[in-house]
Amino acid sequence: MTASLIITNASVLTMDRGRPRAEAIAISGNRISALGSHAEVMAEKGAATRVVDAGGGSVIPGFVEAHMHLFAGAAELSHLQLFGTRGFAELKARTEDFLRQNPGDDLVIGEQADYVILGENEPLTRHHLDRIVKDRPVLLFSPDHHTAWANTMALEMAGLLKGRKLGPGNEIVMGADGLAAGELRESEAFDPVRALSKKGMRDRLGLITGGEPDPYPTKAEFETDLETMRAGLAHAAAHGITFIQNMDGNIYTLELLEELHRRGELTARVKVPFHFKNFMDTGMLEKASKMAARYDSDMLSSGFVKLFVDGVVDSGTAVLVDDYSDRPGWRGEPLFEPSRFAEIAVEADRRGLQIAVHAIGDGAVRIVLDGYEAALRANGRRDSRHRVEHVEVIHPDDVPRFAELGVIASMQPPHPPGNHGLPLEPYLSRIGRERWPHAFAWKALREAGARLAFGTDWPVSDIDPLWSLQSAMTRGRWSDDMPDNRQSLAQALHSYTVDGAYAGFMEEKTGALKTGMLADVCVLPADLEKTDPAAYKGMRPRLTVCDGKVVFGK
């Protein structure tokens, strides 16, 4: 068979145990047609074959991003970016610079404002934001997107300044003056402010409600959303990502991606869930089943349900088994009571759907594992591959249950405090010294036989999988007696390729470089095995190939 593309002079890390290395790879159509030495693979060359000299760089399977938010992340590319901002003066300067470049009266949305942006002892309030801008609504999101801060004008426009009754796990923090202080915890608190944006909320519907836009977008709005989605896909391709497991979704998200696929512009495989919210009844799972039946191709699929059981540690909305160390008597409030979650898990599993659940605290992780165990008892064992997303804190008793139940630990190397430029506080004080060894417990989970799938949770963290690999391989310890959770290159790559593909039921088709498998390939400018992991950040692929097509690079 004549190859359409040959990549040679490479250090090919196939992630295939039967043939872990090669010097060259050939692609014919959308499949890998040959692997081997330069001479062996060049035998596939024809008159029209493109030959790429990798210059000794690593060639690996395209990255499988096991947890990200494509539509919302793409929309955020144009927002005020505050990553790494420290102190009021820098916050003011960055915001004012953004305002000069983006005049008008629309809501200013900022991203990546961390919990200690003003220092560990000075919480951000509406009064700080009012000193920067009073005559335009402002909303700044924390990196985890579970907390936001608004100025007075935004709170007044959204009807939140005097507070409002919210559902479990959501809070408008009130000040001593009886008015909202500016901090808004979880979506019911900050979505009324986010809704002030003239750009609308279509990019967040799959996250907020799981519902569809009403009224349905006009043709112009649909084209605008297609352009947003293109930008997100291009951003992923530029970082070597060829398979996206989206962690929010609705039919509209799938329709946008379906249209891009029809136009030949879908540059990554995408799997989109039905987002089940706590105000829904189990009958809504019929929508998930219909989405699974309608979208089931190698490029675009559904077939799973996403839920949130808790929030995050930093804001105190994660659910813990025991009290927060800095807040006696408080363990967090679950978004689903254990019995209710078990009921949903049993029904979703009965329908043959995969389940993926956001669970940060060890109490939330236990609720989810108990629900999966209830589904197994009710429906029998099957190849369900249910997932727990994040698993930031885990009780030691629950570590072996992942392997026992066949549950995937979907984890994010950028998230441990101290990694990726994240501050240590307030996280470490919230969970307390006794829980430190059980936080982001990659080593313990691996040793217990769990399968780990890696991702970034973009836009919560930078999308760069190479920076994520760096964080996985160079993670520090918070104390000398903590486990060493650093991952080897082989382990980290496995979680970013083979295990990610397994989590998406695609391990027989992608996630490894093997003759006959789909041609999803990332060509890097350096040999990863010969490069200090501390230098991975910022390394960009020379070439990204998805389904046999070059989607990034030349």
Side-chain angles (χ1 to χ4, degrees):
M1 183 183 296
T2 301
S4 50
L5 174 65
I6 288 176
I7 303 162
T8 189
N9 188 23
S11 174
V12 183
L13 302 177
T14 68
M15 308 310 294
D16 172 23
R17 290 177 181 173
R19 185 173 195 167
R21 295 177 182 274
E23 184 183 14
I25 180 173
I27 294 169
S28 298
N30 72 338
R31 300 277 174 174
I32 296 168
S33 56
L35 287 153
S37 68
H38 172 79
E40 289 170 332
V41 173
M42 288 301 287
E44 303 279 318
K45 183 179 180 297
T49 302
R50 177 186 176 188
V51 178
V52 173
D53 185 335
S58 293
V59 173
I60 60 175
F63 287 107
V64 180
E65 169 55 78
H67 185 121
M68 69 177 277
H69 302 274
L70 178 60
F71 197 5
E76 288 184 17
L77 290 171
S78 62
H79 293 175
L80 167 62
Q81 302 300 319
L82 295 170
F83 179 79
T85 301
R86 289 291 178 270
F88 180 80
E90 186 178 0
L91 173 61
K92 185 173 187 290
R94 286 199 181 191
T95 305
E96 290 178 342
D97 183 58
F98 181 86
L99 291 172
R100 282 191 291 272
Q101 296 178 46
N102 298 271
D105 61 359
D106 198 10
L107 176 70
V108 175
I109 305 173
E111 308 295 346
Q112 300 291 320
D114 72 45
Y115 288 88
V116 290
I117 193 168
L118 301 182
E120 292 182 10
N121 299 312
E122 186 175 5
L124 183 63
T125 70
R126 63 184 172 92
H127 304 294
H128 293 105
L129 298 179
D130 289 346
R131 286 165 55 194
I132 300 172
V133 55
K134 284 185 175 181
D135 57 356
R136 187 171 173 182
V138 174
L139 183 68
L140 307 184
F141 279 95
S142 63
D144 56 39
H145 290 62
H146 286 259
T147 300
W149 296 268
N151 67 352
T152 301
M153 184 178 187
L155 292 167
E156 287 179 329
M157 290 175 67
L160 300 180
L161 189 58
K162 296 181 180 180
R164 179 185 295 179
K165 182 176 176 58
L166 303 175
N170 297 264
E171 181 182 2
I172 299 169
V173 177
M174 303 302 290
D177 59 0
L179 299 176
E183 182 173 333
L184 306 168
R185 298 175 179 172
E186 301 297 334
S187 61
E188 284 187 36
F190 53 67
D191 279 344
V193 179
R194 179 64 176 78
L196 298 174
S197 173
K198 294 178 180 179
K199 295 178 182 177
M201 296 270 279
R202 293 188 302 276
D203 59 292
R204 289 180 55 80
L205 281 178
L207 189 63
I208 298 167
T209 68
E212 308 305 324
D214 185 16
Y216 196 81
T218 64
K219 183 177 180 180
E221 289 171 334
F222 189 83
E223 289 295 331
T224 296
D225 291 343
L226 285 178
E227 190 56 37
T228 299
M229 199 69 86
R230 281 191 198 96
L233 288 165
H235 194 56
H239 290 85
I241 296 166
T242 58
F243 184 9
I244 294 166
Q245 291 163 19
N246 211 49
M247 284 297 143
D248 64 86
N250 54 7
I251 292 174
Y252 184 63
T253 300
L254 285 158
E255 288 174 339
L256 289 169
L257 293 166
E258 183 179 38
E259 178 60 20
L260 290 176
H261 189 29
R262 189 188 69 79
R263 299 183 188 186
E265 298 176 314
L266 185 58
T267 54
R269 306 181 193 284
V270 189
K271 195 172 182 69
V272 177
F274 168 67
H275 188 179
F276 191 100
K277 301 286 288 187
N278 59 2
F279 54 78
M280 297 176 178
D281 61 51
T282 52
M284 283 297 294
L285 290 171
E286 178 62 20
K287 180 177 178 179
S289 293
K290 289 179 178 178
M291 288 167 66
R294 178 176 168 184
Y295 297 98
D296 188 26
S297 74
D298 290 341
M299 288 299 296
L300 184 59
S301 62
S302 185
F304 76 111
V305 180
K306 170 73 186 299
L307 303 91
F308 284 74
V309 163
D310 69 346
V312 293
V313 166
D314 300 79
S315 65
T317 55
V319 175
L320 301 179
V321 171
D322 297 308
D323 292 356
Y324 276 77
S325 290
D326 64 345
R327 192 174 172 185
W330 177 251
R331 300 182 181 185
E333 191 174 18
L335 299 174
F336 291 88
E337 288 300 321
S339 60
R340 173 68 175 140
F341 175 75
E343 175 190 4
I344 296 161
V346 168
E347 176 58 16
D349 182 77
R350 184 191 69 79
R351 290 172 172 269
L353 297 165
Q354 185 185 32
I355 310 168
V357 185
H358 169 115
I360 296 274
D362 53 4
V365 172
R366 181 167 290 176
I367 288 171
V368 176
L369 292 175
D370 286 350
Y372 291 164
E373 190 170 339
L376 189 151
R377 287 196 305 269
N379 303 322
R381 188 174 290 275
R382 68 180 183 87
D383 186 17
S384 58
R385 306 188 194 183
H386 297 321
R387 309 160 51 133
V388 183
E389 307 299 317
H390 308 306
V391 200
E392 290 192 3
V393 184
I394 186 168
H395 192 283
D397 292 349
D398 292 322
V399 169
R401 298 178 70 194
F402 277 80
E404 290 166 2
L405 296 170
V407 173
I408 295 163
S410 173
M411 305 181 78
Q412 297 73 42
H415 286 186
N419 268 17
H420 256 57
L422 292 178
L424 298 176
E425 296 295 348
Y427 198 104
L428 296 190
S429 295
R430 292 267 157 90
I431 64 172
R433 179 68 181 78
E434 69 281 359
R435 278 184 285 239
W436 289 4
H438 312 301
F440 305 92
W442 306 333
K443 184 175 187 287
L445 284 162
R446 280 200 193 278
E447 290 179 346
R451 192 184 291 260
L452 275 61
F454 280 170
T456 62
D457 199 8
W458 184 69
V460 169
S461 299
D462 192 289
I463 200 172
D464 185 0
L466 286 159
W467 189 8
S468 190
L469 289 181
Q470 174 180 318
S471 289
M473 296 171 68
T474 62
R475 176 181 166 187
R477 293 189 288 177
W478 303 321
S479 64
D480 291 339
D481 58 347
M482 274 191 64
D484 185 354
N485 279 289
R486 287 178 298 177
Q487 305 287 285
S488 68
L489 174 61
Q491 287 174 322
L493 271 179
H494 207 273
S495 288
Y496 245 119
T497 55
V498 178
D499 290 327
Y502 178 87
F505 290 91
M506 287 283 285
E507 77 279 6
E508 297 298 323
K509 298 180 178 181
T510 191
L513 303 178
K514 189 175 180 180
T515 302
M517 292 185 74
L518 294 169
D520 297 344
V521 183
C522 179
V523 181
L524 297 171
D527 187 332
L528 292 179
E529 295 176 296
K530 297 178 181 178
T531 302
D532 184 345
Y536 286 2
K537 178 186 175 182
M539 188 187 297
R540 292 290 176 268
R542 287 186 54 196
L543 213 65
T544 303
V545 179
C546 179
D547 208 44
K549 299 172 184 175
V550 175
V551 294
F552 175 78
K554 296 179 180 179

